[in-house]
Amino acid sequence: TLMEVCGGQTHTLIKFGIDAMLPKQVTLVHGPGCPVCVTPLELIDKAIAIARRPEVIFTSFGDMLRVPGSQTDLLSVKAGGGDVRMVYSPLDAVKLAQKHLDRQVVFFAVGFETTAPANAMAVWQAKQLGLDNFSILCSHVLVPPAMEAILGSPDSLVQGFLAAGHVCAIMGYWEYEPIAARYRVPVVVTGFEPLDLLQGIYMTLRALEEGRWGVENQYSRAVTRDGNQAAQRLVGQ
């Protein structure tokens, strides 16, 4: 029983029928998934309340606009006259703040470690530009604690993980080594193409059959053990 951590990996597995082609002895459990799915309801309600304010331009990636709060969603707020705008980068929101100095521009910063550097860069850039009308509503979450919560459950059946390659491209994979050792499971950092996932599954199964645990890196073309040091420094700053 293996768990792929990332919703993007789940999408590829199902789109290309990999889950259906695997032998019946192999079960894939779809893991913590995308950050959109695990954003707390309370935070979505906060986003909706802020977006309804007449002095606010509320910006977000498109995937958050349809996510329901306790009563409505951001797209309905937009339909009702709220200034809710879809952007493709948090830096687009900074540009809006430069154009509309009389409005408060808020970016809904949702994501795992992957999107944290871009959001940090937006905050850094806004400060460099002296903008006091830009802010973020932050809902960042971390992968390692989610994995530990799953492995620490007495009901957990997960025997190995396919770690999310884009998260590890930022953070590296050293954080997973103590988790793999503590729970004696193999963790394979895996990419997102069909062959990446097939190779990641193969490497995880091979480790299980050989009685090994630890971290292996299938996605070596994009990931190193220490990750992107510049991005980590920016997030820390």
Side-chain angles (χ1 to χ4, degrees):
T1 302
L2 311 182
M3 176 177 280
E4 82 278 2
V5 169
C6 176
Q9 292 174 331
T10 304
H11 178 81
T12 299
L13 289 166
I14 292 170
K15 178 181 178 181
F16 291 94
I18 294 169
D19 57 332
M21 287 189 285
L22 291 171
K24 66 181 187 300
Q25 296 95 328
V26 181
T27 302
L28 294 178
V29 179
H30 308 312
C34 72
V36 174
C37 307
V38 298
T39 300
L41 184 69
E42 177 191 6
L43 208 73
I44 296 168
D45 285 342
K46 283 182 181 179
I48 289 166
I50 293 167
R52 281 176 166 156
R53 295 185 183 184
E55 75 276 14
V56 166
I57 299 173
F58 194 87
T59 61
S60 171
F61 293 145
D63 53 8
M64 289 304 301
L65 299 184
R66 294 182 184 275
V67 179
S70 55
Q71 295 182 329
T72 186
D73 56 34
L74 286 166
L75 210 57
S76 299
V77 172
K78 180 179 175 67
D83 196 345
V84 177
R85 307 190 190 188
M86 184 177 74
V87 294
Y88 293 98
S89 163
L91 297 175
D92 292 342
V94 174
K95 289 177 183 175
L96 280 172
Q98 285 181 281
K99 283 184 185 176
H100 301 278
L101 294 172
D102 59 330
R103 306 279 298 282
Q104 289 293 322
V105 177
V106 182
F107 178 71
F108 200 2
V110 174
F112 284 110
E113 295 95 329
T114 316
T115 53
N119 294 333
M121 176 58 77
V123 172
W124 183 86
Q125 192 174 88
K127 184 177 181 181
Q128 297 300 113
L129 293 168
L131 297 174
D132 59 4
N133 64 326
F134 174 80
S135 58
I136 62 171
L137 178 62
C138 188
S139 181
H140 272 288
V141 288
L142 301 171
V143 171
M147 290 173 61
E148 290 202 76
I150 290 163
L151 289 168
S153 167
D155 300 321
S156 175
L157 300 175
V158 177
Q159 296 165 287
F161 279 95
L162 305 180
H166 50 12
V167 169
C168 295
I170 301 297
M171 301 305 296
Y173 56 81
W174 60 269
E175 292 180 296
Y176 301 98
E177 291 169 347
I179 298 173
R182 186 179 308 125
Y183 296 99
R184 297 190 171 191
V185 294
V187 177
V188 177
V189 180
T190 310
F192 301 89
E193 297 298 322
L195 286 176
D196 288 325
L197 286 157
L198 284 168
Q199 187 178 17
I201 291 167
Y202 169 72
M203 290 168 69
T204 311
L205 293 176
R206 188 176 63 185
L208 285 168
E209 297 221 341
E210 293 175 3
R212 292 185 286 107
W213 60 82
V215 181
E216 293 183 78
N217 183 16
Q218 181 276 332
Y219 203 33
S220 57
R221 66 184 186 275
V223 171
T224 63
R225 182 179 182 274
D226 294 328
N228 185 328
Q229 300 283 299
Q232 292 173 34
R233 282 194 297 273
L234 181 63
V235 172
Q237 183 184 341

